[in-house]
Amino acid sequence: MKKLLAFVLAAAMALSFAACGGGTSSTPAPASQPASQPASQPASQPEAPKELQEIVVGYMANYASLAEVVSGINKGYFEEQGLTVKLAEFADGPTIIAAMESGSVQVGYIGSGAHKLCINGKAKIFCMAHVGNADALVADKSKGINGVADLKGKIVGYSSGTSSEQILKYALEANGMTMNDIKAMEMDASALVTAMTSGSLDACAAWSPMTFTIQEQLGDNYTVLADNMSFSDQSASVASWIVTNEYAEKNADTILAFTKALYKAKDFRADEANYQQVAEWVAEQCKTDVDSAYQQRGDAKWLTSAELVAAVKDGSVESMYKVQQEDFIKNGAVEAEVPVGDYVMFDNMLKAAE
Protein backbone atom coordinates (compact mmCIF):
# COMPACT_ATOMS: atom_id res chain seq x y z
CA MET A 1 0.00 0.00 0.00
CA LYS A 2 2.84 2.43 0.90
CA LYS A 3 4.61 1.62 -2.38
CA LEU A 4 1.43 2.32 -4.36
CA LEU A 5 0.90 5.67 -2.60
CA ALA A 6 4.49 6.71 -3.33
CA PHE A 7 4.08 5.81 -6.99
CA VAL A 8 0.86 7.84 -7.32
CA LEU A 9 2.47 10.95 -5.69
CA ALA A 10 5.53 10.73 -7.94
CA ALA A 11 3.36 10.49 -11.02
CA ALA A 12 1.27 13.47 -9.95
CA MET A 13 4.41 15.61 -9.42
CA ALA A 14 5.73 14.63 -12.86
CA LEU A 15 2.49 15.71 -14.52
CA SER A 16 2.56 19.00 -12.59
CA PHE A 17 6.09 19.86 -13.76
CA ALA A 18 5.16 19.02 -17.32
CA ALA A 19 2.16 21.34 -17.13
CA CYS A 20 4.27 24.23 -15.80
CA GLY A 21 6.78 23.78 -18.59
CA GLY A 22 4.09 23.99 -21.27
CA GLY A 23 5.29 20.63 -22.65
CA THR A 24 8.10 22.29 -24.65
CA SER A 25 11.00 22.40 -22.20
CA SER A 26 12.11 20.90 -18.92
CA THR A 27 13.76 24.23 -17.94
CA PRO A 28 11.65 26.28 -15.50
CA ALA A 29 10.42 29.60 -16.86
CA PRO A 30 12.05 32.74 -15.34
CA ALA A 31 10.06 34.50 -12.66
CA SER A 32 8.06 37.37 -14.05
CA GLN A 33 9.07 40.95 -13.08
CA PRO A 34 6.59 43.59 -11.97
CA ALA A 35 5.74 45.83 -14.89
CA SER A 36 6.73 48.97 -13.00
CA GLN A 37 10.31 47.83 -12.17
CA PRO A 38 13.25 46.79 -14.34
CA ALA A 39 14.56 43.21 -14.11
CA SER A 40 17.62 44.37 -12.12
CA GLN A 41 18.15 47.27 -9.73
CA PRO A 42 21.32 49.41 -9.80
CA ALA A 43 23.45 49.36 -6.64
CA SER A 44 22.50 52.15 -4.21
CA GLN A 45 24.96 55.05 -4.03
CA PRO A 46 26.46 55.98 -0.62
CA GLU A 47 25.22 59.28 0.79
CA ALA A 48 27.60 62.20 0.41
CA PRO A 49 29.15 63.27 3.73
CA LYS A 50 27.31 66.11 5.40
CA GLU A 51 29.07 69.45 5.07
CA LEU A 52 30.09 70.83 8.47
CA GLN A 53 29.23 74.38 9.47
CA GLU A 54 32.34 76.35 10.43
CA ILE A 55 32.24 78.34 13.67
CA VAL A 56 35.05 80.75 14.53
CA VAL A 57 35.57 80.83 18.30
CA GLY A 58 37.42 83.63 20.09
CA TYR A 59 39.52 82.56 23.07
CA MET A 60 42.30 83.74 25.38
CA ALA A 61 45.52 81.79 25.79
CA ASN A 62 44.91 80.10 29.14
CA TYR A 63 43.59 76.83 30.51
CA ALA A 64 40.24 78.18 31.69
CA SER A 65 39.42 79.66 28.29
CA LEU A 66 40.45 76.60 26.28
CA ALA A 67 39.72 73.56 28.46
CA GLU A 68 36.20 73.00 27.13
CA VAL A 69 36.62 73.94 23.50
CA VAL A 70 39.81 71.92 22.90
CA SER A 71 38.18 68.92 24.56
CA GLY A 72 35.20 69.29 22.24
CA ILE A 73 37.44 69.57 19.18
CA ASN A 74 39.75 66.67 19.98
CA LYS A 75 36.97 64.34 21.13
CA GLY A 76 34.87 65.06 18.03
CA TYR A 77 31.90 66.45 19.96
CA PHE A 78 31.43 69.45 17.64
CA GLU A 79 31.54 67.29 14.52
CA GLU A 80 28.81 65.11 16.04
CA GLN A 81 26.66 68.25 16.04
CA GLY A 82 27.52 69.15 12.43
CA LEU A 83 30.04 71.84 13.39
CA THR A 84 33.72 72.43 12.81
CA VAL A 85 35.51 74.88 15.08
CA LYS A 86 38.25 77.30 14.09
CA LEU A 87 40.04 78.97 17.00
CA ALA A 88 41.08 82.63 17.04
CA GLU A 89 43.25 84.01 19.86
CA PHE A 90 42.59 87.40 21.48
CA ALA A 91 44.08 89.27 24.43
CA ASP A 92 40.82 89.86 26.30
CA GLY A 93 37.03 89.61 26.30
CA PRO A 94 36.22 93.13 25.02
CA THR A 95 38.42 92.51 21.96
CA ILE A 96 36.58 89.25 21.31
CA ILE A 97 33.23 91.04 21.47
CA ALA A 98 34.49 93.68 19.01
CA ALA A 99 35.53 90.90 16.62
CA MET A 100 32.10 89.31 17.00
CA GLU A 101 30.45 92.62 16.11
CA SER A 102 32.56 92.82 12.95
CA GLY A 103 31.44 89.31 11.96
CA SER A 104 34.89 87.68 11.96
CA VAL A 105 34.03 85.64 15.07
CA GLN A 106 30.72 83.91 15.82
CA VAL A 107 31.23 82.57 19.35
CA GLY A 108 33.41 83.87 22.15
CA TYR A 109 34.66 83.01 25.63
CA ILE A 110 34.87 85.85 28.16
CA GLY A 111 36.10 86.11 31.73
CA SER A 112 34.29 87.93 34.50
CA GLY A 113 35.35 91.48 33.64
CA ALA A 114 33.87 91.56 30.13
CA HIS A 115 30.42 90.60 31.41
CA LYS A 116 29.64 94.28 31.94
CA LEU A 117 29.37 94.52 28.14
CA CYS A 118 26.73 91.77 28.12
CA ILE A 119 24.79 93.57 30.84
CA ASN A 120 25.04 96.76 28.77
CA GLY A 121 23.50 95.00 25.75
CA LYS A 122 26.58 94.18 23.64
CA ALA A 123 26.20 90.38 23.69
CA LYS A 124 24.19 87.47 25.04
CA ILE A 125 25.40 84.63 27.26
CA PHE A 126 24.22 81.29 25.86
CA CYS A 127 26.11 79.02 28.26
CA MET A 128 27.99 79.45 31.51
CA ALA A 129 31.57 78.25 31.19
CA HIS A 130 32.60 78.00 34.82
CA VAL A 131 32.99 79.86 38.10
CA GLY A 132 36.45 81.03 39.04
CA ASN A 133 37.66 78.96 41.96
CA ALA A 134 41.35 79.71 42.14
CA ASP A 135 41.27 81.09 45.70
CA ALA A 136 41.11 78.88 48.77
CA LEU A 137 41.63 78.87 52.52
CA VAL A 138 43.67 75.73 53.18
CA ALA A 139 45.05 74.16 56.34
CA ASP A 140 47.31 71.48 57.74
CA LYS A 141 45.11 68.84 59.36
CA SER A 142 48.01 67.64 61.50
CA LYS A 143 47.65 70.93 63.41
CA GLY A 144 44.17 69.88 64.55
CA ILE A 145 42.31 71.90 61.94
CA ASN A 146 39.29 70.38 60.23
CA GLY A 147 37.06 73.45 59.88
CA VAL A 148 37.21 77.24 59.95
CA ALA A 149 36.18 77.30 63.62
CA ASP A 150 39.39 75.41 64.43
CA LEU A 151 41.46 78.39 63.24
CA LYS A 152 40.85 80.27 66.50
CA GLY A 153 44.25 81.14 67.94
CA LYS A 154 46.06 79.55 64.95
CA ILE A 155 48.70 81.20 62.74
CA VAL A 156 47.08 81.97 59.38
CA GLY A 157 48.99 83.51 56.48
CA TYR A 158 47.48 85.82 53.87
CA SER A 159 48.49 88.41 51.29
CA SER A 160 47.02 91.84 52.05
CA GLY A 161 44.99 93.63 49.39
CA THR A 162 44.46 90.51 47.29
CA SER A 163 41.77 87.87 46.85
CA SER A 164 43.68 85.97 49.54
CA GLU A 165 42.63 88.50 52.18
CA GLN A 166 39.09 88.62 50.81
CA ILE A 167 38.41 84.90 51.01
CA LEU A 168 39.97 84.70 54.48
CA LYS A 169 37.63 87.43 55.76
CA TYR A 170 34.62 85.81 54.04
CA ALA A 171 35.39 82.48 55.74
CA LEU A 172 35.87 84.02 59.17
CA GLU A 173 32.72 86.12 58.91
CA ALA A 174 30.65 83.10 57.85
CA ASN A 175 31.72 81.41 61.07
CA GLY A 176 31.13 84.38 63.36
CA MET A 177 34.83 85.23 63.59
CA THR A 178 37.11 88.15 62.72
CA MET A 179 40.82 88.61 62.06
CA ASN A 180 41.21 89.22 65.81
CA ASP A 181 40.27 85.60 66.49
CA ILE A 182 43.34 84.29 64.65
CA LYS A 183 47.04 85.06 64.60
CA ALA A 184 46.93 86.73 61.19
CA MET A 185 50.31 86.73 59.43
CA GLU A 186 50.47 89.16 56.50
CA MET A 187 53.16 88.24 53.93
CA ASP A 188 54.00 88.32 50.25
CA ALA A 189 52.12 85.78 48.18
CA SER A 190 55.42 84.21 47.12
CA ALA A 191 56.22 83.39 50.77
CA LEU A 192 52.94 81.62 51.56
CA VAL A 193 53.93 78.27 50.08
CA THR A 194 57.29 78.10 51.86
CA ALA A 195 55.79 79.16 55.20
CA MET A 196 52.96 76.66 54.87
CA THR A 197 55.07 73.67 53.84
CA SER A 198 57.76 74.40 56.45
CA GLY A 199 55.16 74.34 59.22
CA SER A 200 55.49 78.04 60.12
CA LEU A 201 51.81 78.50 59.29
CA ASP A 202 48.85 76.42 60.43
CA ALA A 203 46.72 77.62 57.54
CA CYS A 204 46.82 80.14 54.73
CA ALA A 205 44.68 81.83 52.11
CA ALA A 206 46.20 81.42 48.65
CA TRP A 207 45.32 80.70 45.05
CA SER A 208 46.17 78.27 42.25
CA PRO A 209 48.83 77.10 41.49
CA MET A 210 50.15 77.82 45.00
CA THR A 211 47.40 75.70 46.53
CA PHE A 212 48.42 72.74 44.37
CA THR A 213 52.03 73.05 45.47
CA ILE A 214 50.92 73.09 49.12
CA GLN A 215 48.70 70.07 48.52
CA GLU A 216 51.57 68.13 46.97
CA GLN A 217 53.80 68.90 49.97
CA LEU A 218 51.24 68.22 52.72
CA GLY A 219 49.69 65.14 51.13
CA ASP A 220 46.92 63.63 53.27
CA ASN A 221 47.23 66.45 55.81
CA TYR A 222 46.02 69.00 53.25
CA THR A 223 42.45 70.23 53.62
CA VAL A 224 40.39 72.98 51.97
CA LEU A 225 38.34 74.96 54.48
CA ALA A 226 36.72 77.34 51.96
CA ASP A 227 36.98 78.39 48.32
CA ASN A 228 35.31 80.81 45.91
CA MET A 229 32.31 78.55 45.46
CA SER A 230 31.67 78.73 49.20
CA PHE A 231 30.78 82.41 48.80
CA SER A 232 29.21 82.55 45.35
CA ASP A 233 26.30 84.49 46.85
CA GLN A 234 28.68 87.29 47.82
CA SER A 235 31.21 87.37 45.01
CA ALA A 236 30.94 85.46 41.74
CA SER A 237 33.75 85.26 39.21
CA VAL A 238 31.73 83.81 36.35
CA ALA A 239 33.07 83.07 32.85
CA SER A 240 30.74 82.52 29.90
CA TRP A 241 30.23 81.59 26.26
CA ILE A 242 28.66 84.42 24.30
CA VAL A 243 27.27 85.51 20.92
CA THR A 244 26.05 88.84 19.60
CA ASN A 245 22.38 89.72 19.95
CA GLU A 246 21.91 89.51 16.18
CA TYR A 247 23.55 86.08 15.95
CA ALA A 248 21.38 84.83 18.82
CA GLU A 249 18.21 85.90 17.00
CA LYS A 250 19.13 84.28 13.67
CA ASN A 251 21.02 81.13 14.69
CA ALA A 252 19.20 79.47 17.58
CA ASP A 253 19.76 75.95 16.17
CA THR A 254 23.50 76.51 15.74
CA ILE A 255 23.85 77.87 19.26
CA LEU A 256 21.94 74.88 20.63
CA ALA A 257 24.17 72.44 18.72
CA PHE A 258 27.29 74.21 19.99
CA THR A 259 25.97 74.03 23.55
CA LYS A 260 25.25 70.30 23.27
CA ALA A 261 28.86 69.74 22.18
CA LEU A 262 30.05 71.92 25.07
CA TYR A 263 28.09 69.79 27.52
CA LYS A 264 29.98 66.67 26.45
CA ALA A 265 33.23 68.64 26.65
CA LYS A 266 32.33 69.83 30.16
CA ASP A 267 31.87 66.25 31.31
CA PHE A 268 35.20 65.22 29.82
CA ARG A 269 37.27 68.05 31.28
CA ALA A 270 35.55 67.81 34.70
CA ASP A 271 36.93 64.28 35.15
CA GLU A 272 40.23 64.44 37.06
CA ALA A 273 41.45 61.46 35.04
CA ASN A 274 41.43 63.74 31.96
CA TYR A 275 43.21 66.78 33.47
CA GLN A 276 46.59 65.77 32.02
CA GLN A 277 45.18 65.21 28.54
CA VAL A 278 43.34 68.53 28.58
CA ALA A 279 46.53 70.28 29.72
CA GLU A 280 48.40 68.75 26.77
CA TRP A 281 45.80 70.04 24.33
CA VAL A 282 45.85 73.50 25.93
CA ALA A 283 49.65 73.60 25.86
CA GLU A 284 49.66 72.61 22.21
CA GLN A 285 47.23 75.39 21.31
CA CYS A 286 49.05 78.01 23.43
CA LYS A 287 52.52 76.85 22.36
CA THR A 288 53.57 76.51 26.00
CA ASP A 289 54.81 73.70 28.23
CA VAL A 290 52.38 71.12 29.57
CA ASP A 291 53.34 71.66 33.23
CA SER A 292 52.38 75.34 33.04
CA ALA A 293 48.99 74.45 31.59
CA TYR A 294 48.48 71.65 34.11
CA GLN A 295 49.14 74.00 37.03
CA GLN A 296 46.12 76.07 35.94
CA ARG A 297 43.70 73.17 36.37
CA GLY A 298 42.53 74.55 39.71
CA ASP A 299 41.64 78.00 38.45
CA ALA A 300 37.93 77.22 38.31
CA LYS A 301 35.19 74.95 39.56
CA TRP A 302 34.69 72.57 36.64
CA LEU A 303 30.99 71.73 36.68
CA THR A 304 29.65 68.78 34.73
CA SER A 305 26.73 69.39 32.37
CA ALA A 306 24.34 67.80 34.89
CA GLU A 307 25.62 70.04 37.68
CA LEU A 308 25.24 73.11 35.49
CA VAL A 309 21.68 72.25 34.46
CA ALA A 310 20.74 71.55 38.09
CA ALA A 311 22.19 74.94 39.06
CA VAL A 312 20.15 76.62 36.32
CA LYS A 313 16.98 74.92 37.52
CA ASP A 314 17.42 75.82 41.19
CA GLY A 315 18.30 79.43 40.42
CA SER A 316 21.94 79.25 41.51
CA VAL A 317 23.29 80.31 38.11
CA GLU A 318 20.95 83.27 37.93
CA SER A 319 22.02 84.28 41.45
CA MET A 320 25.69 84.20 40.48
CA TYR A 321 25.11 86.43 37.45
CA LYS A 322 23.05 88.76 39.63
CA VAL A 323 25.80 89.01 42.25
CA GLN A 324 28.28 89.68 39.45
CA GLN A 325 26.06 92.46 38.12
CA GLU A 326 25.71 94.01 41.58
CA ASP A 327 29.50 94.21 41.80
CA PHE A 328 29.60 96.06 38.46
CA ILE A 329 26.94 98.50 39.67
CA LYS A 330 28.89 99.16 42.87
CA ASN A 331 32.03 99.83 40.83
CA GLY A 332 30.24 102.10 38.36
CA ALA A 333 30.82 99.82 35.34
CA VAL A 334 27.04 99.33 35.00
CA GLU A 335 24.64 102.23 35.61
CA ALA A 336 21.44 100.43 36.54
CA GLU A 337 20.14 96.95 37.26
CA VAL A 338 19.17 94.81 34.26
CA PRO A 339 17.08 91.63 34.51
CA VAL A 340 19.54 88.74 34.20
CA GLY A 341 17.19 86.96 31.81
CA ASP A 342 17.64 89.83 29.33
CA TYR A 343 21.21 88.77 28.55
CA VAL A 344 21.51 85.16 29.80
CA MET A 345 19.88 82.46 27.65
CA PHE A 346 18.70 80.07 30.37
CA ASP A 347 16.27 78.33 27.97
CA ASN A 348 19.15 77.34 25.69
CA MET A 349 21.08 75.79 28.59
CA LEU A 350 18.05 73.75 29.63
CA LYS A 351 17.13 72.68 26.10
CA ALA A 352 20.66 71.46 25.40
CA ALA A 353 20.21 68.83 28.12
CA GLU A 354 17.04 67.36 26.61
Side-chain angles (χ1 to χ4, degrees), residues 125-128 255-257 259-260 263 266 305-318 344-354:
I125 296 163
F126 69 87
C127 187
M128 191 180 86
I255 294 170
L256 181 62
T259 308
K260 287 182 176 181
Y263 277 9
K266 283 179 181 294
S305 60
E307 289 170 337
L308 173 59
V309 171
V312 172
K313 288 180 177 179
D314 70 16
S316 298
V317 171
E318 183 174 4
V344 180
M345 300 168 63
F346 295 114
D347 288 347
N348 178 71
M349 286 186 257
L350 294 175
K351 192 172 182 182
E354 294 177 355

Side-chain angles (χ1 to χ4, degrees), residues 72 107 145 158 191 218:
V107 169
I145 302 170
Y158 73 101
L218 295 184

Side-chain angles (χ1 to χ4, degrees), residues 6-82:
F7 176 81
V8 172
L9 288 174
M13 290 175 67
L15 289 172
S16 175
F17 285 136
C20 290
T24 58
S25 172
S26 60
T27 305
S32 61
Q33 298 290 333
S36 60
Q37 294 185 4
S40 61
Q41 296 290 337
S44 60
Q45 297 297 319
E47 288 185 13
K50 234 180 173 182
E51 187 174 348
L52 299 176
Q53 180 183 353
E54 183 179 88
I55 302 292
V56 182
V57 177
Y59 75 95
M60 289 167 276
N62 57 59
Y63 186 100
S65 178
L66 283 165
E68 289 181 2
V69 70
V70 294
S71 295
I73 291 170
N74 285 281
K75 294 296 290 183
Y77 299 147
F78 290 109
E79 288 190 6
E80 289 176 4
Q81 295 295 328

Side-chain angles (χ1 to χ4, degrees), residues 84-103:
T84 181
V85 170
K86 180 180 178 183
L87 296 174
E89 182 180 338
F90 294 88
D92 52 53
T95 309
I96 290 175
I97 292 177
M100 289 168 60
E101 290 175 332
S102 73

Side-chain angles (χ1 to χ4, degrees), residues 126-145:
F126 69 87
C127 187
M128 191 180 86
H130 54 75
V131 181
N133 202 39
D135 308 309
L137 176 59
V138 303
D140 184 344
K141 286 196 294 187
S142 70
K143 304 290 186 70
I145 302 170

Side-chain angles (χ1 to χ4, degrees), residues 252-286:
D253 289 344
T254 299
I255 294 170
L256 181 62
F258 194 94
T259 308
K260 287 182 176 181
L262 275 183
Y263 277 9
K264 282 194 170 184
K266 283 179 181 294
D267 294 340
F268 182 86
R269 66 99 173 89
D271 187 342
E272 290 186 19
N274 299 324
Y275 282 4
Q276 181 68 31
Q277 177 62 81
V278 174
E280 290 174 8
W281 290 332
V282 170
E284 181 181 3
Q285 181 64 34
C286 295

